[in-house]
């Protein structure tokens, strides 16, 4: 298996630290809002990477954090007049619902930054002891970038270049830095913010330290794969390397994987630009399996532009796969027992070749685009060679092969009835009319029907409102 490693900028053969095992850390979202479909891209892709390792027989320990202390969370909490924990807990739950709808497996562990403060204090203490960090007059602790000569090795930046870029910049509140490249490990509390005791000041951690600490705690000092979106290469991952390697004295992650951006009108989708769709919004229009399939249609390192056309194409593609699987399941019921015919034996050989083609694509830096193409060829083989006259064993073999590849891609092949906004609105309209006509039995029946679909109605002065259970 080959993986493109951001560290070397080359595809490298994957050699696990421990045979048969993969230790993988993926940076998770900051939870102050519903996740957008840009955030969903790494979730879907690295879940697929995990599934492929599992398919190949590896045991994967997959850790992905939630950043639950951050300026944006605090801002939102102040706006709503609640504490930061209320905001982060709410959006962690919402994010987990979205992940389930996208068929993203829960991580082996989803650590929360606020529950790992003791580990952060310990690592910061070690860094200070070893001379890699220092405490400024106001109690802020900074990482001393110059103490780590390899700084820049992931982002391929040169410290001197960085230095000249920073020369003029003096960030208010960071006057205590020895060097403009130094970054915060621990900062003093501000009025009204959550804070923790520490040997340096009452305060809270910088963002980068949380991932170094969680990776160490749940996976160990050395891990196989560290992943996230390409916006995290610098400074986040560069800083993680500096912290972890300086504190642990060992190489941190062997392979660094970064996904390209999900764009809209060829610009990165982001909360700060406001050009985003939440997963929830897209889920109102499409089954979220379509979104997953859309993401897998491109290579993970390429930029991907979100568009209605591509989503329609994904929807049709997915439909083809699901229809083929449904047909196989029906055919299997009626199929004959008995020895495979020579044509069927040939069909099995062809399906083996296509499975091998899928694996070759995935072995080549997880080329899901080519993997999906091989899956379509398998679907075509099934549509053209399986029939009422086929042997049961032949149908079962095709069903198993297509099913296995779908499992790797995280595609559910059972047709699930997705309740769409349009459907709900139509039923509500019908119920409103029934009530106007004083047909209360019908109105109640429709309310019950909607409830069965997981939709509750609320009659308000402004009209009928509805929400999903
Ligand atoms: P954030 O909540 O912004 O820290 O992002 C969580 C994860 O989503 C990180 O791995 C980001 O790199 C990734 N991400 C954010 N926006 C996009 C985007 N438009 N396309 C792809 N990945 C993104
Ligand atoms: Zn991280």
């Amino acid at each position: 298996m080959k993986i493109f490693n951001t560290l070397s900028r080359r595809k490298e053969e994957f050699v696990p630290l421990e045979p048969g095992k993969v230790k993988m850390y993926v940076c998770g979202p900051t939870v102050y809002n519903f996740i957008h479909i840009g955030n969903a891209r790494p979730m879907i892709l690295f879940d697929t990477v995990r599934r492929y390792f599992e398919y190949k027989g590896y045991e994967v320990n997959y850790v992905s954090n939630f950043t639950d202390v951050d300026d944006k969370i605090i801002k939102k909490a102040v706006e709503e007049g609640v504490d930061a924990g209320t905001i982060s807990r709410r959006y962690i739950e919402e994010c987990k619902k979205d992940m389930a709808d996208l068929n993203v497996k829960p991580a082996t562990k989803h650590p929360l930054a606020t529950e790992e403060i003791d580990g952060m204090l310990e690592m910061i203490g070690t860094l200070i002891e070893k001379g890699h960090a220092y405490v400024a007059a106001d109690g802020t602790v900074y990482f001393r970038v110059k103490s780590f000569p390899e700084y820049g090795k992931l982002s391929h930046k040169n410290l001197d270049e960085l230095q000249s870029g920073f020369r003029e910049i003096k960030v208010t509140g960071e006057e205590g830095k020895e060097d403009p490249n130094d970054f915060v490990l621990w900062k003093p509390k501000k009025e009204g913010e959550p804070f923790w005791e520490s040997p340096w000041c009452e305060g809270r951690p910088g963002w980068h330290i949380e991932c170094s600490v969680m990776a160490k705690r749940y996976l160990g000092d050395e891990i196989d794969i560290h992943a996230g979106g390409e916006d995290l290469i610098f400074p986040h991952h560069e800083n993680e390397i500096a912290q972890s390697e300086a504190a642990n004295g060992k190489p941190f992650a062997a392979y660094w994987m970064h996904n390209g951006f999900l764009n809209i009108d060829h610009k990165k989708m982001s909360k700060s630009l406001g050009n985003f769709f939440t997963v929830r919004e897209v889920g109102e229009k499409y089954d979220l399996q379509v979104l997953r399939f859309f993401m897998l249609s491109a290579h993970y390192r390429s930029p991907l532009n979100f568009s209605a056309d591509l989503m329609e194409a994904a929807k049709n593609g997915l439909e083809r796969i699901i229809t083929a699987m449904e047909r196989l399941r029906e055919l299997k019921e009626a199929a004959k027992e008995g020895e495979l015919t020579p044509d069927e034996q040939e069909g099995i050989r062809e399906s083996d070749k296509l499975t091998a083609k899928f694996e070759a694509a995935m072995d080549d830096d997880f080329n899901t685009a080519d993997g999906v193409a091989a899956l379509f060829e398998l679907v075509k083989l099934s549509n053209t060679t399986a029939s009422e006259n086929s042997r049961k064993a032949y149908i079962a073999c095709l069903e198993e092969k297509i099913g296995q590849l779908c499992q790797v891609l995280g595609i559910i092949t059972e047709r699930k009835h997705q309740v769409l906004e349009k459907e709900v609105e139509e039923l509500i309209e019908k119920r409103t009319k029934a009530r106007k006509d004083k047909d209360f039995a019908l109105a109640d029946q429709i309310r019950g029907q909607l409830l069965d679909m997981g939709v509750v109605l609320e009659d308000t002065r402004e009209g009928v409102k509805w929400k999903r259970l």
Side-chain angles (χ1 to χ4, degrees):
M1 263 172 105
K2 285 204 159 58
I3 299 183
F4 183 90
N5 191 347
T6 309
L7 261 180
S8 63
R9 286 176 164 162
R10 279 190 297 108
K11 280 186 198 168
E12 293 174 23
E13 190 59 38
F14 177 70
V15 183
L17 291 166
E18 229 182 291
K21 294 195 175 162
V22 181
K23 289 186 263 188
M24 201 170 162
Y25 186 96
V26 181
C27 292
T30 306
V31 278
Y32 65 100
N33 212 327
F34 289 98
I35 57 160
H36 62 66
I37 57 175
N39 302 134
R41 190 171 187 198
M43 286 178 185
I44 293 167
L45 293 169
F46 298 118
D47 176 63
T48 308
V49 167
R50 170 196 190 168
R51 284 166 180 270
Y52 188 61
F53 275 120
E54 286 171 347
Y55 168 82
K56 297 274 264 190
Y58 286 94
E59 185 190 309
V60 184
N61 192 349
Y62 189 101
V63 176
S64 189
N65 65 308
F66 285 115
T67 299
D68 65 342
V69 56
D70 164 272
D71 288 342
K72 285 170 278 195
I73 300 172
I74 295 167
K75 184 164 168 263
K76 178 100 170 182
V78 170
E79 278 165 19
E80 288 195 17
V82 295
D83 64 314
T86 306
I87 299 292
S88 58
R89 275 192 301 275
R90 182 197 303 158
Y91 290 111
I92 287 170
E93 283 320 304
E94 299 297 353
C95 177
K96 285 186 175 171
K97 278 189 214 160
D98 287 339
M99 285 167 68
D101 286 342
L102 291 165
N103 204 23
V104 168
K105 288 187 178 192
T108 322
K109 174 77 190 169
H110 280 291
L112 307 183
T114 55
E115 291 177 359
E116 307 290 336
I117 303 290
D118 53 342
M120 300 191 210
L121 297 179
E122 200 180 316
M123 190 179 277
I124 297 170
T126 307
L127 289 170
I128 296 174
E129 251 169 56
K130 290 188 166 183
H132 290 294
Y134 56 94
V135 190
D138 65 351
T140 307
V141 185
Y142 293 104
F143 186 91
R144 184 177 280 126
V145 166
K146 279 225 172 78
S147 75
F148 186 71
E150 289 174 78
Y151 193 81
K153 69 178 172 181
L154 180 72
S155 52
H156 305 274
K157 285 184 196 295
N158 171 320
L159 209 52
D160 295 334
E161 275 167 31
L162 284 173
Q163 196 75 50
S164 62
F166 271 122
R167 196 168 295 146
E168 300 303 322
I169 304 173
K170 263 261 183 253
V171 182
T172 324
E174 294 193 355
E175 295 85 355
K177 278 186 181 183
E178 284 176 3
D179 183 298
N181 289 317
D182 294 350
F183 59 88
V184 172
L185 298 172
W186 186 265
K187 55 187 166 192
K189 69 172 180 185
K190 289 203 199 109
E191 199 48 44
E193 287 185 357
F195 67 90
W196 289 264
E197 299 291 334
S198 85
W200 318 291
C201 63
E202 287 178 336
R204 61 185 169 101
W207 170 38
H208 316 296
I209 192 75
E210 74 177 77
C211 291
S212 284
V213 167
M214 294 177 189
K216 180 181 171 78
R217 169 131 189 232
Y218 297 102
L219 298 171
D221 290 354
E222 294 181 76
I223 68 174
D224 293 292
I225 298 175
H226 197 311
E230 66 182 12
D231 51 337
L232 299 188
I233 298 173
F234 187 86
H236 185 53
H237 288 165
E238 195 68 66
N239 292 354
E240 276 190 47
I241 292 179
Q243 295 163 160
S244 295
E245 298 192 356
N248 304 331
K250 291 182 194 147
F252 181 29
Y255 304 85
W256 287 84
M257 294 179 72
H258 293 99
N259 64 272
F261 291 140
L262 179 80
N263 292 334
I264 191 143
D265 296 327
H266 303 281
K267 279 196 218 72
K268 181 195 171 196
M269 182 174 287
S270 76
K271 283 178 197 149
S272 52
L273 289 178
N275 60 347
F276 64 89
F277 292 116
T278 61
V279 169
R280 224 34 89 77
E281 283 168 324
V282 172
E284 291 292 348
K285 289 211 179 89
Y286 295 93
D287 179 339
L288 286 173
Q289 290 296 299
V290 175
L291 182 65
R292 181 169 183 122
F293 197 59
F294 158 78
M295 298 280 187
L296 298 175
S297 65
H299 192 278
Y300 77 89
R301 283 188 284 119
S302 311
L304 175 60
N305 209 44
F306 182 72
S307 74
D309 284 356
L310 288 176
M311 283 294 281
E312 280 307 311
K315 187 175 162 193
N316 295 336
L318 189 63
E319 186 59 33
R320 239 161 73 210
I321 297 167
I322 294 175
T323 308
M325 280 298 271
E326 271 188 338
R327 182 169 167 272
L328 287 173
R329 279 192 283 264
E330 276 167 26
L331 287 175
K332 202 167 72 176
E333 295 297 310
K336 302 183 194 63
E337 301 290 344
E339 296 272 299
L340 295 182
T341 64
D343 277 354
E344 286 172 342
Q345 285 171 6
E346 176 55 29
I348 302 266
R349 278 193 292 276
E350 187 58 28
S351 71
D352 284 339
K353 270 193 219 152
L354 292 172
T355 301
K357 197 168 168 184
F358 174 88
E359 289 178 9
M362 294 297 280
D363 283 343
D364 183 15
D365 192 29
F366 305 96
N367 191 337
T368 54
D370 286 359
V372 166
L375 171 60
F376 277 135
E377 284 187 66
L378 200 52
V379 164
K380 190 169 162 206
L381 177 77
S382 158
N383 290 346
T384 50
T385 61
S387 75
E388 292 77 15
N389 301 318
S390 304
R391 251 43 42 186
K392 212 182 225 71
Y394 183 60
I395 305 281
C397 173
L398 288 176
E399 186 194 357
E400 194 194 326
K401 295 236 164 91
I402 299 177
Q404 259 180 354
L405 303 196
C406 287
Q407 171 105 21
V408 171
L409 297 174
I411 301 292
I412 297 169
T413 57
E414 271 86 32
R415 196 180 300 280
K416 117 172 130 36
H417 186 69
Q418 170 89 357
V419 181
L420 297 178
E421 204 169 354
K422 195 164 134 261
E423 235 174 310
V424 175
E425 302 287 353
E426 275 169 14
L427 281 169
I428 290 178
E429 220 169 277
K430 220 165 121 188
R431 176 173 171 268
T432 309
K433 183 168 179 304
R435 276 162 52 114
K436 231 184 243 159
D437 298 344
K438 306 238 176 306
D439 186 350
F440 296 110
L442 177 62
D444 280 350
Q445 187 204 320
I446 296 172
R447 179 191 276 273
Q449 189 183 342
L450 282 162
L451 201 60
D452 288 344
M453 288 159 63
V455 171
V456 269
L457 300 184
E458 198 193 332
D459 293 305
T460 71
R461 229 178 274 167
E462 298 91 59
V464 184
K465 295 213 168 115
W466 64 274
K467 64 172 193 233
R468 289 172 201 276
L469 276 177

